[in-house]
């Protein structure tokens, strides 16, 4: 059975401008085809009358695999005790874990919500083989990973020497051998500072042992990303994350987009989990939302995109980030468990369990910031919802997050229980913006596909797209979602039917088949003339810096379950 | 230290550990060899104790667990009142199977009695018989090798210890490995003798004898045993690759059994401590570039990880100019060869590390230590050590089984983690376990991502659980809880206390291994495997959790598959037998 015909559904496909029209969607051999190309007598016909049909959801930033996720699992056994779901073989493997679920639950939980592509946003190069081995074991969804570069000694050496083209060539090599998709900056330069001094730094501080600042790093790496012509340029977690007053650092970082020698009109910087760096005020007790300032800055700066890092109140979290100095500070606030991993030449990571409380002043402000930014900008093509899973919230709570965007009533219900002092300082209670289902489809499908540059075959339902489809049992013509947001949450938590790569994987919110998706990676071209020089450089630096051989660093295609190379024509000159 | 039994014998504290010769003999010959016997069936005592007991060349060593007659070698580095036996079947006859709910048997610090004797030495066969081995015949053969084309492969990765050295240069003639440059003595023994003493055919035990069968027959029988088992143990996995580990977890899930790896008797307690307190880790390169203070605690890398010191301590780093800009401290119960390298050696009384760690935690906070000495260490030395730690720019501790196996076991590690977390208030400091088998760290990683737990994972109820002291291999075997066992690239009979090993004589046992382990003497099905890193490509995780891809250098012997392929086929067969297939 490789032909499916989905009939009569309300289709939401923003990339093709389809807004809730009743249409038939046909699938053949894992792709969307014109309905005339399937034979209704042979095809599996699905009656989606009165239901919502969307492309599979895409999560651009969720920590689902790699060394820090596994340390999270190790140090949080209590996370698994009460969350078990026995297997149902051969359809579904056993599931466990809440904030740091096992690989099976990660894939299944996303699939149950109708998500089919997820990006792991931070992998240290030297441990990226681990990240891939975990990604490979996550069922159903497609994946990609961003590689950490901001504190990379090789890159910083090159920036110091001012070799712009060469830096780009090095990144091209790095992406290709680590099989990753884009460049990630986490608290730029701070892991150098952390490893040498045990502290983080701000955007205009000097990076210890280097004569440059994080601002230089963002700009130069931004320039390299332009030369590389990456579909998703720089993915940035700003400096001073988690400190009151850090919204100023975020504004400064957004501003760097203007200093980058842009070679296209595409966004130059993506600021991730902006909530965590949207703090106004000079202490925790005077903390306020910087959401309005960030929203304003975004409006006048078309080269920046954002994701929210929305806090989910009333949930526990396991914070994990390459922002090791921040985790060290958080550990002093929580005083429970702390894990740190200093990783040679490249980065570090910290992990600290945390819990977001409705009554907490600080946590309420955090919750407000994400929503204010989303509602004030109302720019679903440029501002996408994430929880920075499992940092600000869990990906499994996306339907709840989305309900706060489509329904003022949903927000008001929760506002009754949150810290009122914090609310009084916020403009959120006065906002009456409510997103449409179409806008939700943009934010969770079309926009992330475009931001990743995968919109040719992901994030839409046009002919030729991958047959990743989610059907939700909700009738938008009958139901006022704003009033009935609980029904929306229920429908989006457990999709009625999910098709991945042309196969039915979810029915009535339950997994019916375990399959494995692809891993996308970028392969930017490197001019021949630079290759030799690059090789000499790499040999020298590996001898000097690394405890592994250069050879060990290469991750080959056959090591991955299902790698898909995205070749990129770069603008690097020889 | 010693106490007196009613009828006048002296009790000694038994210490076990790994020696260089043990590693070399095991790899060069086999555990069935004279060389291994000479390296492992031996006890070391302080000369004064030997004189006192009037021991000439051998002694009977015994306690309530068992009794062995061993050659005695004088060694003045062994403190009076203690006796040292290398880890292995002889030591296991004496070690305590009780894990105190930690999954970790008492492999160190057990009380034993020693008396002069003229009785014959206890042979390996004596021990296997006493454990109830099912077959004592082994069909050790050398894989066919031929000289031919000469090749040199660079950046070869060593599949022996947790250092996973990846700078080896291996010279190959035909399919013979003729030279190993860069590897240590154990590594050379492993590569140059890879073809020797192999399991070359699948076997089934039939009427008390091992008979050669086809691979398919062996797999069928293995699948039948697993499919019929109510509660099998799938164990080993530290000396094979990530892929094999994935299938092992799947098998446990399919059969509602348990999957456990050898960390249960090495750094299991370290994992338990991380569950409780977190961790402060670093990769080798961080130590190379920054560590001005290197502490080896309860480990002896010079013998167990021979390249470790050269790779990390002696190498020049970006901010540290090699050995001369680093201070080395060794903390151990005896003066090991590693201790001889140290700027400061601190001898701690066996089983009392916890007290020393606690004192250090107090000292770095300037709290008063009232006792004149702690765990046998004079107070001044404790204070000196604390000061060195606080004033280091970047301090690192590598710790071994001396800390995980003795005294407070995982509580030692919790305390050590907290000590290091606290030291980070003053400076940068990290703590890293010295992992033994080359992929034991990887076993933990796969187990974590697939099940949420690092080892000892039970699927009795169809979802993963880890109940240490219950679902850990030592306990499952010692308590007779499992009704079948699949042992993959590991030798529990060489590592487990006798009470645990004995259970393998009572249940059907499947062994997948490249060589004749002692556990093959308990096997009903033996399936040969090929060596990852020599005959198969595969990935493994270094002790600092850096994943490394091991290379394939030569083809496996005819008809022999990689462990992962054997397990993949086994999974398929078990699925069919259990009807776990899509309609
Ligand atoms: S130290 Fe360990 S990994 Fe390195 S060569 Fe020796 S045995 Fe092999
Ligand atoms: Zn993140």
């Amino acid at each position: 059975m490789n032909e499916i015909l989905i009939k009569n559904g309300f289709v939401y496909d923003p990339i093709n401008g389809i807004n809730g029209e009743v249409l038939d969607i046909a699938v053949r051999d894992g792709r969307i085809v014109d309905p005339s190309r399937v034979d209704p007598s042979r095809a599996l016909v699905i009656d989606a009358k009165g239901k919502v049909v969307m492309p599979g959801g895409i999560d651009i930033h969720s920590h689902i695999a790699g060394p820090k996720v596994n340390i999270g699992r190790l140090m949080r056994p209590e996370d698994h005790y009460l969350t078990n779901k026995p297997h149902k073989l051969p359809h579904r493997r056993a599931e466990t874990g809440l904030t740091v679920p096992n690989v099976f639950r990660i894939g299944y939980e996303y699939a149950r919500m109708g998500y089919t592509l997820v990006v792991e946003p931070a992998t240290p190069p030297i441990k990226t083989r681990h990240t891939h081995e975990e990604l490979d074991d996550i069922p159903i969804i497609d994946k990609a990973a961003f590689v950490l570069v901001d504190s990379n000694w090789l890159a910083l050496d090159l920036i110091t020497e001012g070799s712009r083209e060469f830096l780009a060539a090095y990144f091209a090599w790095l992406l290709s051998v680590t099989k990753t998709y884009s460049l990630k900056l986490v608290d730029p330069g701070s892991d150098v500072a952390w490893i040498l001094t045990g502290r983080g730094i701000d955007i205009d501080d000097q990076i210890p042992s280097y004569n440059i600042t994080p601002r230089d790093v963002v700009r130069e790496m931004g320039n390299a990303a332009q030369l590389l012509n990456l579909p998703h340029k720089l993915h940035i977690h700003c400096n001073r994350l988690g400190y009151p007053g850090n919204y100023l650092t975020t504004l400064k970082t957004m501003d760097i987009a203007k200093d980058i020698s842009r070679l296209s009109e595409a966004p130059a910087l993506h600021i991730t989990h902006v909530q965590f760096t949207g703090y106004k005020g000079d202490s925790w007790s005077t903390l306020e939302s910087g959401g309005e300032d960030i929203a304003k800055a975004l409006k006048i700066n078309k080269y920046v995109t954002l994701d929210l890092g929305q806090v989910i109140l009333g949930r526990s979290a396991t914070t994990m980030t390459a922002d090791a100095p921040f985790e060290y500070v958080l550990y002093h606030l929580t005083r429970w468990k702390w894990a740190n991993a200093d990783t040679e030449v490249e980065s570090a990571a910290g992990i600290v369990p945390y819990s977001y409380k409705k009554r907490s002043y600080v946590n309420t402000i955090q919750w407000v910031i994400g929503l204010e930014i989303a509602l004030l900008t109302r720019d679903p093509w440029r501002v996408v919802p994430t929880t920075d899973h499992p940092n600000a919230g869990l990906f499994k709570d996306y339907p709840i997050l989305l309900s706060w965007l489509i329904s003022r009533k949903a927000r008001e219900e929760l506002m009754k229980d949150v810290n009122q002092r914090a609310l009084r300082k916020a403009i959120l209670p006065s906002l009456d913006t409510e997103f449409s289902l179409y806008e939700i489809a943009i934010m969770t499908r079309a926009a992330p596909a475009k931001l990743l540059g995968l919109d040719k075959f992901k994030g839409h339902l046009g002919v030729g797209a991958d047959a990743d489809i989610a059907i939700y049992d909700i009738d938008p013509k009958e139901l006022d979602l704003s009033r009935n947001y609980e029904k929306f949450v229920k429908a989006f938590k457990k999709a009625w039917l999910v098709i991945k790569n042309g196969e039915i994987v979810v029915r009535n919110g339950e997994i019916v088949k375990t399959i494995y998706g692809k891993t996308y990676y970028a392969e930017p071209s490197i001019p021949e003339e630079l290759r030799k020089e690059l090789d000499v450089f790499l040999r020298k630096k590996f001898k000097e810096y690394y405890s592994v051989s250069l050879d060990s660093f290469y991750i080959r295609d056959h090591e991955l379950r299902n790698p898909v190379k995205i070749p990129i024509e770069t603008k690097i000159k020889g | 230290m010693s106490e007196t039994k009613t009828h006048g014998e002296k009790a000694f504290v038994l210490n076990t550990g790994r020696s260089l010769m043990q590693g070399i003999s095991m790899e060069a010959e086999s555990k069935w060899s004279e060389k291994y016997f000479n390296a492992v069936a031996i006890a070391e005592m302080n000369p004064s104790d030997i004189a006192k007991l009037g021991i000439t060349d051998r002694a009977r060593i015994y306690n309530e667990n068992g009794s062995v007659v061993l050659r005695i070698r004088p060694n003045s580095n062994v403190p009076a009142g203690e006796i040292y036996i290398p880890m292995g079947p002889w030591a296991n006859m004496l070690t305590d199977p009780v894990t105190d709910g930690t999954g970790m048997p008492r492999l160190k610090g057990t009380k034993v009695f020693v008396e002069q004797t003229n009785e014959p030495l206890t042979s390996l066969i004596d021990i296997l018989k006493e454990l109830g081995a099912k077959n004592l015949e082994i069909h050790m053969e050398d894989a066919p090798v031929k000289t031919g084309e000469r090749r040199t492969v660079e950046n070869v990765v060593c599949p022996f210890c947790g250092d996973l050295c990846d700078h080896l240069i291996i010279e190959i003639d035909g399919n013979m490995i003729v030279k190993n440059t860069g590897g240590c003595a154990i590594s050379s023994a492993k590569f140059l003798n890879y073809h020797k003493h192999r399991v070359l055919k699948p076997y089934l035990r039939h009427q008390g004898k091992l008979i050669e069968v086809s691979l398919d027959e062996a797999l069928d029988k293995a699948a039948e045993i697993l499919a019929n088992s109510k509660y099998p143990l799938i164990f080993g996995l530290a000396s094979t690759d990530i892929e094999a580990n994935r299938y092992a977890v799947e098998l446990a899930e399919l059969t509602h059994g348990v999957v456990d790896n050898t960390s249960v008797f090495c750094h299991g307690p370290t994992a338990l401590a991380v569950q409780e307190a977190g961790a402060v880790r670093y990769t080798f390169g961080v130590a190379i570039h920054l560590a001005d203070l290197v502490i080896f605690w309860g480990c002896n890398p010079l013998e167990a990880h021979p390249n470790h010191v050269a790779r990390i301590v002696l190498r020049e780093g970006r901010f540290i100019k090699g050995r001369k800009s680093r201070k080395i401290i060794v903390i151990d119960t005896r003066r090991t060869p590693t201790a001889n390298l140290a700027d400061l050696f601190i001898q701690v009384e066996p089983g009392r590390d916890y007290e020393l760690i606690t004192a250090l935690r107090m000292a770095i906070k300037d709290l008063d230590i009232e006792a004149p000495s702690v765990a046998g260490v004079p107070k001044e030395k404790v204070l000196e050590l604390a000061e060195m730690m606080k004033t280091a720019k970047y301090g690192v501790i590598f710790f071994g089984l001396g800390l995980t196996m003795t005294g407070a076991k995982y509580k030692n590690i919790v305390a050590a983690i907290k000590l290091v977390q606290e030291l980070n208030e003053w400076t940068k400091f990290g703590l890293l376990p010295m992992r033994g088998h080359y992929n034991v760290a990887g076993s933990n990683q796969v187990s974590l991502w697939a099940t949420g737990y690092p080892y000892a994972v039970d699927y009795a109820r169809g979802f993963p659980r880890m109940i240490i002291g219950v679902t850990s291999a030592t306990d499952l075997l010692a308590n007779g809880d499992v009704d079948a066992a699949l042992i993959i690239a590991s030798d529990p009979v060489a590592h487990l206390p006798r009470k645990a090993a004995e259970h393998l004589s009572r249940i059907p046992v499947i062994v997948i291994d490249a060589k004749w382990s002692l556990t093959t003497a308990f096997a009903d099905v033996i399936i040969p495997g090929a060596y990852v890193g020599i005959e198969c490509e595969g990935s493994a995780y270094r002790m600092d959790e850096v994943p490394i891809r091991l290379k394939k250098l030569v083809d496996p012997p005819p008809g022999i598959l990689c462990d992962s392929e054997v397990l993949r086929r086994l999974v398929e067969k078990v699925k069919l037998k259990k009807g776990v297939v899509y309609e």
Side-chain angles (χ1 to χ4, degrees), chain B residues 9-43:
Chain B
E9 299 149 293
K10 258 190 92 193
F12 284 78
V13 176
L14 169 65
N15 213 335
T16 63
R18 254 176 243 289
S19 74
L20 184 62
M21 266 325 286
Q22 176 184 15
I24 294 174
S25 64
M26 199 162 93
E27 294 306 325
E29 306 273 337
S30 83
K31 290 190 188 125
W32 301 83
S33 69
E34 190 69 27
K35 206 165 173 183
Y36 181 72
F37 178 85
N38 288 336
V40 180
I42 193 157

Side-chain angles (χ1 to χ4, degrees), chain B residues 158 160-161 163-165 168 182-184 186-187 305-308:
Chain B
C158 173
F160 185 78
C161 85
D163 266 69
L164 279 177
C165 297
L168 277 50
C184 66
I186 307 176
S187 174
H305 305 77
N307 272 353
H308 190 79

Side-chain angles (χ1 to χ4, degrees), chain A residues 333-353:
Chain A
L333 296 175
T334 59
R335 278 287 165 203
W336 186 27
K337 303 183 197 181
W338 169 53
N340 177 75
D342 286 357
T343 307
E344 65 199 62
V345 192
E346 302 165 352
S347 69
I351 301 115
V352 172

Side-chain angles (χ1 to χ4, degrees), chain A residues 241-514:
Chain A
L241 179 139
Y243 287 89
N246 61 15
Y247 82 109
L248 287 172
T249 301
T250 303
L251 295 179
K252 288 180 200 163
T253 309
M254 290 167 76
D255 241 21
I256 298 175
K258 298 188 188 127
D259 304 330
I260 290 173
S261 317
R262 290 182 310 272
L263 300 175
S264 79
E265 286 303 288
L269 303 176
H270 178 87
I271 306 287
T272 190
H273 44 65
V274 66
Q275 169 274 130
F276 279 124
T277 50
Y279 304 161
K280 223 171 173 167
D282 46 24
S283 70
W284 292 115
S285 58
T286 61
L287 192 74
E288 281 183 49
S289 165
E292 204 178 350
D293 300 74
I294 290 170
K296 268 193 203 134
L298 187 81
K299 279 205 176 122
I300 54 168
N301 186 342
K302 65 173 181 158
Y303 298 109
V304 173
T305 57
L306 307 175
D307 71 79
L308 296 179
Q310 177 61 39
V311 158
I312 309 289
L313 292 173
R315 272 284 195 206
S316 61
T318 299
T319 68
M320 51 177 69
T321 164
D323 194 341
F326 162 68
E327 291 288 4
Y328 185 64
V329 171
L330 188 62
Y331 161 61
H332 284 79
L333 296 175
T334 59
R335 278 287 165 203
W336 186 27
K337 303 183 197 181
W338 169 53
N340 177 75
D342 286 357
T343 307
E344 65 199 62
V345 192
E346 302 165 352
S347 69
I351 301 115
V352 172
Y354 192 74
S355 157
Y356 293 93
K357 301 194 174 64
K358 291 181 188 167
R359 297 284 175 200
S360 152
Y361 173 79
V362 169
N363 294 162
T364 299
I365 294 282
Q366 290 178 306
W367 176 73
V368 162
I369 295 171
L371 293 179
E372 283 187 356
I373 291 173
L375 297 168
L376 287 170
T377 55
R378 195 166 192 170
D379 191 349
W381 290 101
R382 289 207 293 155
V383 180
V384 300
T386 62
T387 59
D388 188 19
H389 167 89
N391 281 302
L394 311 180
F395 72 78
K396 69 181 277 176
D397 288 332
Y398 280 168
I400 296 172
L401 191 178
L402 297 176
S403 77
W404 295 329
L405 300 180
I406 61 163
S407 163
R408 184 177 186 180
K409 187 177 161 206
R411 301 195 289 269
E412 281 170 348
E413 285 296 322
L414 184 58
M415 280 191 233
K416 288 179 192 153
D417 297 333
V418 305
N419 184 292
Q420 298 302 310
R421 186 167 74 90
L423 271 196
R424 279 194 294 274
K425 294 209 180 173
I427 53 167
L428 179 67
S430 68
L431 299 179
D432 55 10
T433 305
E434 291 184 333
F435 283 73
S436 68
L437 209 47
Y438 186 68
E439 284 169 305
I440 293 296
I442 296 173
M443 299 182 108
T444 56
R445 276 79 181 160
K450 273 217 189 295
L451 293 183
L452 290 171
L454 292 171
D455 49 308
K456 261 210 178 87
F457 48 95
K458 292 291 180 195
H460 72 103
L461 296 173
V463 167
D466 287 355
D468 303 341
I469 306 166
I471 308 179
Y472 300 103
D473 191 5
I474 197 163
D475 186 335
K477 300 285 178 291
E478 293 277 294
L479 212 62
D480 174 357
L481 295 181
S482 154
R483 313 264 7 121
N484 298 282
Y485 66 91
E486 291 109 328
K487 291 224 166 84
F488 166 87
V489 170
K490 195 165 163 256
F492 274 69
K493 268 196 164 156
K494 292 196 163 212
W496 179 72
L497 191 112
V498 178
I499 295 171
K500 175 69 188 44
N501 228 23
E503 288 198 71
I504 295 176
V505 289
V506 172
R507 273 183 193 276
N508 294 316
E510 292 299 333
I511 300 294
V512 294
K513 185 158 196 188
T514 294

